[in-house]
Amino acid sequence: AYTAEPFVPGRGGLAALRKAAADCRGCPLHRDATQTVFGEGAAHARVMLVGEQPGDQEDRQGKPFVGPAGKLLDRALAEAGIEPADAYVTNAVKHFKFTQAEPRKRRIHKAPSLREMTACGPWLAKELEIVEPELIVVLGATAGKALLGSSFRVTQVRGTVLEEEIHGRRERLVPTVHPSAVLRAEDREAAYRGLVADLEVAARALG
Ligand code: SF4
């Protein structure tokens, strides 16, 4: 089975973890992607935001949430009153998965499979162990499935505070949509307001 497990160091902080993740070969996604895109933010951030996987811009720049969806997320977080200094952002899967009709053609995002999410899980587990956030914001269905299992439905639980056992730790989570879903929505303004409202639930849960 695919797994990142042999690549995850037993000790060290976030810097050591990020360095090790750069060489991960735990599943085939590293082959076509430019680089590993690891999480970023304060080592003891109060809230961890978990997305699906890096996108095109993230893959090129090696940083999470730097593309259009990331910019929208920053704006929504500010509006909800969550300080960037309190937030650590990462993804359930650390390599960009895409299809491309021909070289030099646009790379089209493809959702990661359950096998790939499971393979990449040890990185997220370690990030949670080190950062120890007070709250996890689950951005979209893929992150939800990676953390809470395949029966997760974002529409049923968004904007509520859940308490679940995640990788052996009791965690509080607030699910919401992925910011890229807001960008794709027909009524973008309504979708954006919905995202901000869910993040406000997270901000209140942080106190
Ligand atoms: Fe490793 Fe995750 Fe990249 Fe797969 S997606 S190679 S498990 S870092």
mmCIF file of all heavy atoms in Angstrom, residues 75-125:
data_model
loop_
_atom_site.group_PDB
_atom_site.id
_atom_site.type_symbol
_atom_site.label_atom_id
_atom_site.label_comp_id
_atom_site.label_asym_id
_atom_site.label_seq_id
_atom_site.Cartn_x
_atom_site.Cartn_y
_atom_site.Cartn_z
ATOM 1 N N ARG A 75 -8.917 36.779 2.696
ATOM 2 C CA ARG A 75 -9.905 37.840 2.857
ATOM 3 C C ARG A 75 -11.024 37.380 3.796
ATOM 4 O O ARG A 75 -11.438 38.113 4.693
ATOM 5 C CB ARG A 75 -10.481 38.183 1.467
ATOM 6 C CG ARG A 75 -11.276 39.442 1.379
ATOM 7 C CD ARG A 75 -11.189 40.032 -0.030
ATOM 8 N NE ARG A 75 -11.757 39.153 -1.052
ATOM 9 C CZ ARG A 75 -13.046 39.118 -1.393
ATOM 10 N NH1 ARG A 75 -13.916 39.897 -0.773
ATOM 11 N NH2 ARG A 75 -13.476 38.309 -2.333
ATOM 12 N N ALA A 76 -11.470 36.137 3.617
ATOM 13 C CA ALA A 76 -12.551 35.606 4.455
ATOM 14 C C ALA A 76 -12.104 35.469 5.913
ATOM 15 O O ALA A 76 -12.870 35.760 6.840
ATOM 16 C CB ALA A 76 -13.019 34.262 3.900
ATOM 17 N N LEU A 77 -10.863 35.043 6.117
ATOM 18 C CA LEU A 77 -10.343 34.903 7.486
ATOM 19 C C LEU A 77 -10.293 36.263 8.170
ATOM 20 O O LEU A 77 -10.696 36.404 9.331
ATOM 21 C CB LEU A 77 -8.931 34.291 7.462
ATOM 22 C CG LEU A 77 -8.845 32.782 7.218
ATOM 23 C CD1 LEU A 77 -7.401 32.361 6.971
ATOM 24 C CD2 LEU A 77 -9.425 32.001 8.403
ATOM 25 N N ALA A 78 -9.805 37.267 7.450
ATOM 26 C CA ALA A 78 -9.717 38.609 8.018
ATOM 27 C C ALA A 78 -11.109 39.105 8.391
ATOM 28 O O ALA A 78 -11.316 39.667 9.474
ATOM 29 C CB ALA A 78 -9.058 39.559 7.014
ATOM 30 N N GLU A 79 -12.060 38.844 7.520
ATOM 31 C CA GLU A 79 -13.424 39.307 7.773
ATOM 32 C C GLU A 79 -14.043 38.593 8.976
ATOM 33 O O GLU A 79 -14.817 39.180 9.726
ATOM 34 C CB GLU A 79 -14.284 39.091 6.530
ATOM 35 C CG GLU A 79 -15.164 40.278 6.253
ATOM 36 C CD GLU A 79 -15.924 40.128 4.954
ATOM 37 O OE1 GLU A 79 -15.281 40.120 3.896
ATOM 38 O OE2 GLU A 79 -17.149 40.027 5.018
ATOM 39 N N ALA A 80 -13.695 37.339 9.158
ATOM 40 C CA ALA A 80 -14.227 36.558 10.283
ATOM 41 C C ALA A 80 -13.479 36.865 11.582
ATOM 42 O O ALA A 80 -13.875 36.401 12.656
ATOM 43 C CB ALA A 80 -14.165 35.069 9.968
ATOM 44 N N GLY A 81 -12.383 37.616 11.483
ATOM 45 C CA GLY A 81 -11.635 37.988 12.684
ATOM 46 C C GLY A 81 -10.628 36.946 13.139
ATOM 47 O O GLY A 81 -10.268 36.881 14.315
ATOM 48 N N ILE A 82 -10.152 36.117 12.214
ATOM 49 C CA ILE A 82 -9.086 35.158 12.551
ATOM 50 C C ILE A 82 -7.765 35.735 12.037
ATOM 51 O O ILE A 82 -7.605 35.999 10.852
ATOM 52 C CB ILE A 82 -9.371 33.764 11.946
ATOM 53 C CG1 ILE A 82 -10.658 33.192 12.556
ATOM 54 C CG2 ILE A 82 -8.192 32.817 12.175
ATOM 55 C CD1 ILE A 82 -11.099 31.854 11.979
ATOM 56 N N GLU A 83 -6.847 35.959 12.972
ATOM 57 C CA GLU A 83 -5.566 36.589 12.641
ATOM 58 C C GLU A 83 -4.676 35.614 11.881
ATOM 59 O O GLU A 83 -4.588 34.444 12.253
ATOM 60 C CB GLU A 83 -4.830 36.947 13.948
ATOM 61 C CG GLU A 83 -5.541 37.930 14.836
ATOM 62 C CD GLU A 83 -5.412 39.348 14.315
ATOM 63 O OE1 GLU A 83 -4.393 39.641 13.664
ATOM 64 O OE2 GLU A 83 -6.337 40.135 14.539
ATOM 65 N N PRO A 84 -3.965 36.110 10.848
ATOM 66 C CA PRO A 84 -3.031 35.221 10.137
ATOM 67 C C PRO A 84 -2.003 34.590 11.088
ATOM 68 O O PRO A 84 -1.605 33.448 10.897
ATOM 69 C CB PRO A 84 -2.338 36.152 9.138
ATOM 70 C CG PRO A 84 -3.256 37.309 8.976
ATOM 71 C CD PRO A 84 -4.029 37.444 10.256
ATOM 72 N N ALA A 85 -1.610 35.334 12.123
ATOM 73 C CA ALA A 85 -0.610 34.811 13.058
ATOM 74 C C ALA A 85 -1.138 33.635 13.870
ATOM 75 O O ALA A 85 -0.368 32.854 14.435
ATOM 76 C CB ALA A 85 -0.151 35.925 13.996
ATOM 77 N N ASP A 86 -2.455 33.503 13.941
ATOM 78 C CA ASP A 86 -3.070 32.398 14.694
ATOM 79 C C ASP A 86 -3.340 31.169 13.825
ATOM 80 O O ASP A 86 -3.839 30.166 14.315
ATOM 81 C CB ASP A 86 -4.422 32.848 15.280
ATOM 82 C CG ASP A 86 -4.244 33.756 16.480
ATOM 83 O OD1 ASP A 86 -3.174 33.691 17.118
ATOM 84 O OD2 ASP A 86 -5.170 34.525 16.781
ATOM 85 N N ALA A 87 -3.049 31.296 12.529
ATOM 86 C CA ALA A 87 -3.474 30.237 11.610
ATOM 87 C C ALA A 87 -2.301 29.481 10.985
ATOM 88 O O ALA A 87 -1.289 30.070 10.597
ATOM 89 C CB ALA A 87 -4.335 30.851 10.507
ATOM 90 N N TYR A 88 -2.448 28.182 10.921
ATOM 91 C CA TYR A 88 -1.519 27.315 10.202
ATOM 92 C C TYR A 88 -2.315 26.694 9.060
ATOM 93 O O TYR A 88 -3.385 26.142 9.294
ATOM 94 C CB TYR A 88 -0.982 26.227 11.150
ATOM 95 C CG TYR A 88 0.002 25.268 10.519
ATOM 96 C CD1 TYR A 88 1.374 25.488 10.619
ATOM 97 C CD2 TYR A 88 -0.442 24.136 9.830
ATOM 98 C CE1 TYR A 88 2.283 24.613 10.039
ATOM 99 C CE2 TYR A 88 0.467 23.256 9.256
ATOM 100 C CZ TYR A 88 1.821 23.495 9.365
ATOM 101 O OH TYR A 88 2.727 22.622 8.800
ATOM 102 N N VAL A 89 -1.822 26.817 7.830
ATOM 103 C CA VAL A 89 -2.574 26.276 6.690
ATOM 104 C C VAL A 89 -1.828 25.101 6.068
ATOM 105 O O VAL A 89 -0.610 25.134 5.906
ATOM 106 C CB VAL A 89 -2.847 27.344 5.604
ATOM 107 C CG1 VAL A 89 -3.865 28.358 6.071
ATOM 108 C CG2 VAL A 89 -1.575 28.031 5.134
ATOM 109 N N THR A 90 -2.596 24.065 5.743
ATOM 110 C CA THR A 90 -1.978 22.895 5.121
ATOM 111 C C THR A 90 -3.020 22.171 4.261
ATOM 112 O O THR A 90 -4.146 22.632 4.126
ATOM 113 C CB THR A 90 -1.358 21.975 6.205
ATOM 114 O OG1 THR A 90 -0.524 21.012 5.561
ATOM 115 C CG2 THR A 90 -2.422 21.271 7.032
ATOM 116 N N ASN A 91 -2.608 21.057 3.683
ATOM 117 C CA ASN A 91 -3.502 20.279 2.833
ATOM 118 C C ASN A 91 -3.479 18.806 3.237
ATOM 119 O O ASN A 91 -2.472 18.315 3.761
ATOM 120 C CB ASN A 91 -3.068 20.399 1.368
ATOM 121 C CG ASN A 91 -3.457 21.727 0.762
ATOM 122 O OD1 ASN A 91 -4.640 22.066 0.696
ATOM 123 N ND2 ASN A 91 -2.468 22.499 0.331
ATOM 124 N N ALA A 92 -4.575 18.110 2.940
ATOM 125 C CA ALA A 92 -4.653 16.675 3.231
ATOM 126 C C ALA A 92 -3.642 15.899 2.388
ATOM 127 O O ALA A 92 -3.079 14.903 2.825
ATOM 128 C CB ALA A 92 -6.070 16.168 2.957
ATOM 129 N N VAL A 93 -3.410 16.381 1.171
ATOM 130 C CA VAL A 93 -2.453 15.758 0.252
ATOM 131 C C VAL A 93 -1.429 16.818 -0.144
ATOM 132 O O VAL A 93 -1.792 17.942 -0.480
ATOM 133 C CB VAL A 93 -3.192 15.192 -0.984
ATOM 134 C CG1 VAL A 93 -2.224 14.762 -2.067
ATOM 135 C CG2 VAL A 93 -4.078 14.017 -0.568
ATOM 136 N N LYS A 94 -0.158 16.467 -0.112
ATOM 137 C CA LYS A 94 0.905 17.479 -0.241
ATOM 138 C C LYS A 94 1.467 17.640 -1.652
ATOM 139 O O LYS A 94 2.352 18.473 -1.866
ATOM 140 C CB LYS A 94 2.050 17.129 0.699
ATOM 141 C CG LYS A 94 2.044 17.633 2.139
ATOM 142 C CD LYS A 94 0.876 17.638 2.932
ATOM 143 C CE LYS A 94 1.070 18.025 4.368
ATOM 144 N NZ LYS A 94 -0.201 17.913 5.093
ATOM 145 N N HIS A 95 1.021 16.835 -2.598
ATOM 146 C CA HIS A 95 1.453 17.039 -3.985
ATOM 147 C C HIS A 95 0.246 17.348 -4.879
ATOM 148 O O HIS A 95 -0.842 16.821 -4.659
ATOM 149 C CB HIS A 95 2.180 15.800 -4.523
ATOM 150 C CG HIS A 95 3.650 15.767 -4.220
ATOM 151 N ND1 HIS A 95 4.193 14.938 -3.266
ATOM 152 C CD2 HIS A 95 4.682 16.466 -4.751
ATOM 153 C CE1 HIS A 95 5.514 15.132 -3.223
ATOM 154 N NE2 HIS A 95 5.838 16.047 -4.119
ATOM 155 N N PHE A 96 0.476 18.169 -5.877
ATOM 156 C CA PHE A 96 -0.552 18.582 -6.839
ATOM 157 C C PHE A 96 -0.886 17.417 -7.768
ATOM 158 O O PHE A 96 -0.007 16.848 -8.394
ATOM 159 C CB PHE A 96 -0.006 19.770 -7.641
ATOM 160 C CG PHE A 96 -0.917 20.332 -8.698
ATOM 161 C CD1 PHE A 96 -2.288 20.395 -8.518
ATOM 162 C CD2 PHE A 96 -0.382 20.855 -9.876
ATOM 163 C CE1 PHE A 96 -3.113 20.950 -9.500
ATOM 164 C CE2 PHE A 96 -1.194 21.406 -10.856
ATOM 165 C CZ PHE A 96 -2.566 21.452 -10.674
ATOM 166 N N LYS A 97 -2.160 17.080 -7.870
ATOM 167 C CA LYS A 97 -2.608 16.052 -8.811
ATOM 168 C C LYS A 97 -3.368 16.734 -9.945
ATOM 169 O O LYS A 97 -4.258 17.534 -9.696
ATOM 170 C CB LYS A 97 -3.506 15.037 -8.097
ATOM 171 C CG LYS A 97 -3.922 13.890 -9.003
ATOM 172 C CD LYS A 97 -4.731 12.861 -8.242
ATOM 173 C CE LYS A 97 -5.152 11.722 -9.158
ATOM 174 N NZ LYS A 97 -5.971 10.741 -8.436
ATOM 175 N N PHE A 98 -3.005 16.386 -11.161
ATOM 176 C CA PHE A 98 -3.616 17.087 -12.304
ATOM 177 C C PHE A 98 -3.615 16.206 -13.544
ATOM 178 O O PHE A 98 -2.924 15.198 -13.609
ATOM 179 C CB PHE A 98 -2.834 18.376 -12.597
ATOM 180 C CG PHE A 98 -1.374 18.149 -12.911
ATOM 181 C CD1 PHE A 98 -0.942 17.985 -14.219
ATOM 182 C CD2 PHE A 98 -0.434 18.080 -11.895
ATOM 183 C CE1 PHE A 98 0.402 17.762 -14.516
ATOM 184 C CE2 PHE A 98 0.915 17.862 -12.169
ATOM 185 C CZ PHE A 98 1.334 17.704 -13.490
ATOM 186 N N THR A 99 -4.393 16.625 -14.520
ATOM 187 C CA THR A 99 -4.296 16.032 -15.844
ATOM 188 C C THR A 99 -3.893 17.144 -16.804
ATOM 189 O O THR A 99 -4.181 18.320 -16.572
ATOM 190 C CB THR A 99 -5.642 15.460 -16.338
ATOM 191 O OG1 THR A 99 -6.648 16.450 -16.152
ATOM 192 C CG2 THR A 99 -6.022 14.212 -15.586
ATOM 193 N N GLN A 100 -3.237 16.748 -17.878
ATOM 194 C CA GLN A 100 -2.728 17.715 -18.835
ATOM 195 C C GLN A 100 -2.823 17.058 -20.214
ATOM 196 O O GLN A 100 -2.229 16.005 -20.441
ATOM 197 C CB GLN A 100 -1.262 18.020 -18.486
ATOM 198 C CG GLN A 100 -0.698 19.223 -19.150
ATOM 199 C CD GLN A 100 0.676 19.561 -18.576
ATOM 200 O OE1 GLN A 100 1.401 18.696 -18.111
ATOM 201 N NE2 GLN A 100 1.046 20.830 -18.629
ATOM 202 N N ALA A 101 -3.571 17.688 -21.099
ATOM 203 C CA ALA A 101 -3.789 17.086 -22.415
ATOM 204 C C ALA A 101 -2.469 16.915 -23.166
ATOM 205 O O ALA A 101 -2.199 15.890 -23.758
ATOM 206 C CB ALA A 101 -4.768 17.931 -23.223
ATOM 207 N N GLU A 102 -1.644 17.956 -23.126
ATOM 208 C CA GLU A 102 -0.334 17.922 -23.791
ATOM 209 C C GLU A 102 0.629 18.745 -22.952
ATOM 210 O O GLU A 102 0.204 19.621 -22.216
ATOM 211 C CB GLU A 102 -0.412 18.637 -25.155
ATOM 212 C CG GLU A 102 -1.164 17.927 -26.242
ATOM 213 C CD GLU A 102 -1.433 18.891 -27.386
ATOM 214 O OE1 GLU A 102 -0.499 19.612 -27.809
ATOM 215 O OE2 GLU A 102 -2.591 18.945 -27.834
ATOM 216 N N PRO A 103 1.935 18.524 -23.122
ATOM 217 C CA PRO A 103 2.891 19.389 -22.426
ATOM 218 C C PRO A 103 2.611 20.843 -22.798
ATOM 219 O O PRO A 103 2.233 21.121 -23.939
ATOM 220 C CB PRO A 103 4.261 18.942 -22.974
ATOM 221 C CG PRO A 103 4.044 17.592 -23.551
ATOM 222 C CD PRO A 103 2.608 17.511 -23.964
ATOM 223 N N ARG A 104 2.807 21.717 -21.880
ATOM 224 C CA ARG A 104 2.566 23.168 -22.040
ATOM 225 C C ARG A 104 1.093 23.540 -22.050
ATOM 226 O O ARG A 104 0.761 24.712 -22.024
ATOM 227 C CB ARG A 104 3.269 23.736 -23.284
ATOM 228 C CG ARG A 104 4.789 23.823 -23.114
ATOM 229 C CD ARG A 104 5.429 24.653 -24.200
ATOM 230 N NE ARG A 104 5.226 24.096 -25.514
ATOM 231 C CZ ARG A 104 5.973 23.094 -26.010
ATOM 232 N NH1 ARG A 104 6.960 22.584 -25.294
ATOM 233 N NH2 ARG A 104 5.735 22.637 -27.206
ATOM 234 N N LYS A 105 0.186 22.557 -22.067
ATOM 235 C CA LYS A 105 -1.241 22.875 -21.927
ATOM 236 C C LYS A 105 -1.532 23.109 -20.450
ATOM 237 O O LYS A 105 -0.778 22.692 -19.586
ATOM 238 C CB LYS A 105 -2.100 21.725 -22.455
ATOM 239 C CG LYS A 105 -2.278 21.761 -23.973
ATOM 240 C CD LYS A 105 -3.476 22.623 -24.378
ATOM 241 C CE LYS A 105 -3.468 23.039 -25.839
ATOM 242 N NZ LYS A 105 -3.570 21.917 -26.765
ATOM 243 N N ARG A 106 -2.672 23.731 -20.179
ATOM 244 C CA ARG A 106 -3.055 24.032 -18.814
ATOM 245 C C ARG A 106 -3.174 22.740 -18.002
ATOM 246 O O ARG A 106 -3.680 21.734 -18.500
ATOM 247 C CB ARG A 106 -4.396 24.762 -18.814
ATOM 248 C CG ARG A 106 -4.614 25.638 -17.605
ATOM 249 C CD ARG A 106 -5.735 26.623 -17.912
ATOM 250 N NE ARG A 106 -7.040 25.956 -17.839
ATOM 251 C CZ ARG A 106 -7.708 25.784 -16.707
ATOM 252 N NH1 ARG A 106 -7.202 26.204 -15.555
ATOM 253 N NH2 ARG A 106 -8.876 25.195 -16.713
ATOM 254 N N ARG A 107 -2.705 22.774 -16.775
ATOM 255 C CA ARG A 107 -2.814 21.600 -15.910
ATOM 256 C C ARG A 107 -4.139 21.677 -15.163
ATOM 257 O O ARG A 107 -4.406 22.626 -14.450
ATOM 258 C CB ARG A 107 -1.642 21.564 -14.925
ATOM 259 C CG ARG A 107 -0.291 21.570 -15.650
ATOM 260 C CD ARG A 107 0.865 21.402 -14.712
ATOM 261 N NE ARG A 107 0.946 22.458 -13.725
ATOM 262 C CZ ARG A 107 1.801 22.450 -12.710
ATOM 263 N NH1 ARG A 107 2.620 21.439 -12.535
ATOM 264 N NH2 ARG A 107 1.827 23.444 -11.861
ATOM 265 N N ILE A 108 -4.962 20.663 -15.318
ATOM 266 C CA ILE A 108 -6.298 20.679 -14.714
ATOM 267 C C ILE A 108 -6.302 19.842 -13.440
ATOM 268 O O ILE A 108 -5.928 18.663 -13.460
ATOM 269 C CB ILE A 108 -7.347 20.105 -15.692
ATOM 270 C CG1 ILE A 108 -7.103 20.706 -17.071
ATOM 271 C CG2 ILE A 108 -8.760 20.276 -15.128
ATOM 272 C CD1 ILE A 108 -8.150 21.447 -17.723
ATOM 273 N N HIS A 109 -6.723 20.485 -12.356
ATOM 274 C CA HIS A 109 -6.808 19.839 -11.045
ATOM 275 C C HIS A 109 -7.632 18.549 -11.097
ATOM 276 O O HIS A 109 -8.669 18.484 -11.731
ATOM 277 C CB HIS A 109 -7.451 20.854 -10.096
ATOM 278 C CG HIS A 109 -8.079 20.262 -8.886
ATOM 279 N ND1 HIS A 109 -9.353 19.735 -8.895
ATOM 280 C CD2 HIS A 109 -7.611 20.090 -7.639
ATOM 281 C CE1 HIS A 109 -9.633 19.276 -7.692
ATOM 282 N NE2 HIS A 109 -8.599 19.485 -6.916
ATOM 283 N N LYS A 110 -7.146 17.522 -10.423
ATOM 284 C CA LYS A 110 -7.884 16.260 -10.294
ATOM 285 C C LYS A 110 -7.960 15.919 -8.818
ATOM 286 O O LYS A 110 -6.963 16.054 -8.106
ATOM 287 C CB LYS A 110 -7.073 15.160 -10.990
ATOM 288 C CG LYS A 110 -7.797 14.518 -12.158
ATOM 289 C CD LYS A 110 -7.000 13.385 -12.720
ATOM 290 C CE LYS A 110 -7.829 12.121 -12.681
ATOM 291 N NZ LYS A 110 -7.053 10.965 -13.103
ATOM 292 N N ALA A 111 -9.122 15.491 -8.356
ATOM 293 C CA ALA A 111 -9.254 15.178 -6.920
ATOM 294 C C ALA A 111 -8.399 13.966 -6.566
ATOM 295 O O ALA A 111 -8.337 13.002 -7.331
ATOM 296 C CB ALA A 111 -10.718 14.897 -6.594
ATOM 297 N N PRO A 112 -7.730 14.008 -5.403
ATOM 298 C CA PRO A 112 -6.940 12.853 -4.992
ATOM 299 C C PRO A 112 -7.833 11.668 -4.644
ATOM 300 O O PRO A 112 -8.976 11.840 -4.228
ATOM 301 C CB PRO A 112 -6.185 13.355 -3.758
ATOM 302 C CG PRO A 112 -6.949 14.529 -3.262
ATOM 303 C CD PRO A 112 -7.655 15.114 -4.446
ATOM 304 N N SER A 113 -7.311 10.471 -4.840
ATOM 305 C CA SER A 113 -8.070 9.263 -4.498
ATOM 306 C C SER A 113 -7.964 8.984 -2.996
ATOM 307 O O SER A 113 -7.111 9.548 -2.300
ATOM 308 C CB SER A 113 -7.509 8.075 -5.271
ATOM 309 O OG SER A 113 -6.211 7.771 -4.779
ATOM 310 N N LEU A 114 -8.803 8.086 -2.547
ATOM 311 C CA LEU A 114 -8.755 7.685 -1.137
ATOM 312 C C LEU A 114 -7.378 7.097 -0.787
ATOM 313 O O LEU A 114 -6.836 7.360 0.287
ATOM 314 C CB LEU A 114 -9.868 6.664 -0.857
ATOM 315 C CG LEU A 114 -10.012 6.206 0.592
ATOM 316 C CD1 LEU A 114 -10.343 7.381 1.500
ATOM 317 C CD2 LEU A 114 -11.086 5.126 0.715
ATOM 318 N N ARG A 115 -6.807 6.336 -1.718
ATOM 319 C CA ARG A 115 -5.474 5.748 -1.480
ATOM 320 C C ARG A 115 -4.430 6.830 -1.281
ATOM 321 O O ARG A 115 -3.538 6.709 -0.437
ATOM 322 C CB ARG A 115 -5.064 4.886 -2.668
ATOM 323 C CG ARG A 115 -5.751 3.551 -2.712
ATOM 324 C CD ARG A 115 -5.413 2.846 -3.993
ATOM 325 N NE ARG A 115 -4.135 2.153 -3.910
ATOM 326 C CZ ARG A 115 -3.494 1.658 -4.958
ATOM 327 N NH1 ARG A 115 -3.977 1.830 -6.166
ATOM 328 N NH2 ARG A 115 -2.367 1.020 -4.797
ATOM 329 N N GLU A 116 -4.495 7.886 -2.089
ATOM 330 C CA GLU A 116 -3.512 8.969 -1.976
ATOM 331 C C GLU A 116 -3.711 9.749 -0.678
ATOM 332 O O GLU A 116 -2.742 10.123 -0.009
ATOM 333 C CB GLU A 116 -3.603 9.881 -3.204
ATOM 334 C CG GLU A 116 -3.075 9.195 -4.464
ATOM 335 C CD GLU A 116 -3.756 9.616 -5.743
ATOM 336 O OE1 GLU A 116 -4.712 10.421 -5.708
ATOM 337 O OE2 GLU A 116 -3.339 9.120 -6.796
ATOM 338 N N MET A 117 -4.973 9.977 -0.319
ATOM 339 C CA MET A 117 -5.255 10.676 0.951
ATOM 340 C C MET A 117 -4.737 9.869 2.131
ATOM 341 O O MET A 117 -4.155 10.413 3.060
ATOM 342 C CB MET A 117 -6.758 10.864 1.121
ATOM 343 C CG MET A 117 -7.346 11.953 0.280
ATOM 344 S SD MET A 117 -9.024 12.249 0.834
ATOM 345 C CE MET A 117 -9.961 11.247 -0.236
ATOM 346 N N THR A 118 -4.959 8.571 2.075
ATOM 347 C CA THR A 118 -4.508 7.696 3.162
ATOM 348 C C THR A 118 -2.984 7.669 3.217
ATOM 349 O O THR A 118 -2.394 7.744 4.293
ATOM 350 C CB THR A 118 -5.064 6.274 2.961
ATOM 351 O OG1 THR A 118 -6.461 6.367 2.762
ATOM 352 C CG2 THR A 118 -4.778 5.383 4.162
ATOM 353 N N ALA A 119 -2.357 7.608 2.040
ATOM 354 C CA ALA A 119 -0.885 7.579 1.976
ATOM 355 C C ALA A 119 -0.290 8.823 2.608
ATOM 356 O O ALA A 119 0.711 8.767 3.327
ATOM 357 C CB ALA A 119 -0.434 7.466 0.521
ATOM 358 N N CYS A 120 -0.909 9.971 2.357
ATOM 359 C CA CYS A 120 -0.365 11.249 2.820
ATOM 360 C C CYS A 120 -0.730 11.560 4.275
ATOM 361 O O CYS A 120 -0.145 12.466 4.878
ATOM 362 C CB CYS A 120 -0.837 12.369 1.901
ATOM 363 S SG CYS A 120 0.376 13.669 1.672
ATOM 364 N N GLY A 121 -1.667 10.813 4.844
ATOM 365 C CA GLY A 121 -2.149 11.062 6.203
ATOM 366 C C GLY A 121 -1.086 11.224 7.284
ATOM 367 O O GLY A 121 -1.227 12.067 8.164
ATOM 368 N N PRO A 122 -0.007 10.427 7.253
ATOM 369 C CA PRO A 122 1.005 10.559 8.311
ATOM 370 C C PRO A 122 1.620 11.956 8.425
ATOM 371 O O PRO A 122 2.006 12.366 9.526
ATOM 372 C CB PRO A 122 2.066 9.523 7.907
ATOM 373 C CG PRO A 122 1.292 8.479 7.156
ATOM 374 C CD PRO A 122 0.233 9.245 6.405
ATOM 375 N N TRP A 123 1.690 12.684 7.307
ATOM 376 C CA TRP A 123 2.219 14.066 7.400
ATOM 377 C C TRP A 123 1.262 14.955 8.188
ATOM 378 O O TRP A 123 1.670 15.722 9.057
ATOM 379 C CB TRP A 123 2.437 14.654 5.993
ATOM 380 C CG TRP A 123 3.538 13.995 5.224
ATOM 381 C CD1 TRP A 123 3.417 13.294 4.058
ATOM 382 C CD2 TRP A 123 4.936 13.960 5.561
ATOM 383 N NE1 TRP A 123 4.644 12.829 3.655
ATOM 384 C CE2 TRP A 123 5.590 13.225 4.542
ATOM 385 C CE3 TRP A 123 5.699 14.477 6.610
ATOM 386 C CZ2 TRP A 123 6.969 12.990 4.563
ATOM 387 C CZ3 TRP A 123 7.062 14.247 6.621
ATOM 388 C CH2 TRP A 123 7.684 13.516 5.614
ATOM 389 N N LEU A 124 -0.014 14.843 7.865
ATOM 390 C CA LEU A 124 -1.018 15.657 8.560
ATOM 391 C C LEU A 124 -1.090 15.278 10.042
ATOM 392 O O LEU A 124 -1.191 16.152 10.915
ATOM 393 C CB LEU A 124 -2.379 15.464 7.875
ATOM 394 C CG LEU A 124 -3.524 16.360 8.336
ATOM 395 C CD1 LEU A 124 -3.155 17.833 8.231
ATOM 396 C CD2 LEU A 124 -4.785 16.080 7.514
ATOM 397 N N ALA A 125 -0.988 13.992 10.321
ATOM 398 C CA ALA A 125 -1.015 13.523 11.715
ATOM 399 C C ALA A 125 0.134 14.164 12.500
ATOM 400 O O ALA A 125 -0.031 14.615 13.637
ATOM 401 C CB ALA A 125 -0.914 12.005 11.759
#
